[in-house]
Amino acid sequence: MKVLIRALLFLSLISLGQGTVLAQNYLILQKGANEKSRITYEVGDEFIYLQEGNDYYIKDVIREIDRDYIALKENVLSLKQIKAIDIRDKDERNQTLANLTLLPIAGGTLLMLAGGINSLAADGGIHYSTGVWTTSVALIGAGILIKSLRYKIFKVGKKKKIMVITVEASE
């Protein structure tokens, strides 16, 4: 019995001394050498892509990322088969543009509301002055214009590349 306990203790000490290496693969979308515009996908992320030979986008969930392929819930894809990726919800820059879209639209709407309330109190009816009208329309139009500038599609091509990066962590 003592020999068994000593053997188990010895094996547990050996296993504690050896660190395990964990690796996580990430799918990186990048244009040129600009690291600020990187978009990162990992296992469990939703992935909307246009496969070569198809005219429609497919939505799937990433199950595994390897150097040569991506294993999805419903499909296995080679990196060379991907023509474009829908990045509307994934690109962080779109969150900034969404916030910038909201501000002028809200400002224009608030100006219209305030101008209407002021004219109602002063004249008893709703009448807008030319300045209030043009400023409100300009603000709302600017917000709608900024909304159209959002990043929608990442087309794989000359400068735009898909890469797989492996990050190893040892314990």
Side-chain angles (χ1 to χ4, degrees):
M1 185 70 176
K2 289 182 182 181
V3 174
L4 181 63
I5 292 174
R6 285 183 186 167
L8 287 175
L9 185 61
F10 179 73
L11 288 175
S12 64
L13 286 174
I14 289 175
S15 66
L16 286 176
Q18 295 178 352
T20 58
V21 176
L22 302 173
Q24 173 70 38
N25 290 343
Y26 294 96
L27 184 69
I28 306 290
L29 310 178
Q30 184 174 333
K31 180 179 179 181
N34 187 4
E35 293 183 12
K36 289 182 179 179
S37 65
R38 274 187 179 176
I39 301 169
T40 307
Y41 286 91
E42 59 185 275
V43 174
D45 286 349
E46 187 176 82
F47 191 64
I48 304 170
Y49 63 95
L50 177 65
Q51 189 174 359
E52 201 165 301
N54 289 343
D55 294 334
Y56 52 89
Y57 283 85
I58 302 169
K59 181 191 276 188
D60 214 336
V61 177
I62 298 174
R63 295 290 179 206
E64 181 183 346
I65 300 171
D66 194 60
R67 289 257 177 234
D68 301 324
Y69 67 89
I70 303 170
L72 303 166
K73 189 174 182 180
E74 300 289 330
N75 198 2
V76 177
L77 267 180
S78 169
L79 295 179
K80 295 175 184 176
Q81 291 177 316
I82 300 172
K83 276 178 42 176
I85 300 168
D86 187 341
I87 58 171
R88 290 169 218 231
D89 298 330
K90 190 68 175 170
D91 196 350
E92 294 174 2
R93 297 172 294 178
N94 282 342
Q95 299 301 320
T96 304
L97 286 173
N99 293 340
L100 285 175
T101 299
L102 181 65
L103 289 173
I105 291 174
T109 305
L110 188 61
L111 185 60
M112 291 283 284
L113 180 65
I117 290 172
N118 283 341
S119 68
L120 187 62
D123 301 335
I126 297 178
H127 304 286
Y128 293 104
S129 69
T130 309
V132 169
W133 183 253
T134 55
T135 306
S136 297
V137 169
L139 283 170
I140 293 171
I144 292 170
L145 180 68
I146 292 172
K147 187 175 179 107
S148 68
L149 296 176
R150 293 176 58 186
Y151 299 94
K152 297 173 183 98
I153 304 295
F154 182 88
K155 291 183 181 178
V156 180
K158 298 174 187 173
K159 288 187 178 181
K160 295 183 177 182
K161 296 189 173 39
I162 300 176
M163 303 177 288
V164 174
I165 295 178
T166 303
V167 177
E168 295 181 4
S170 60
E171 288 185 7

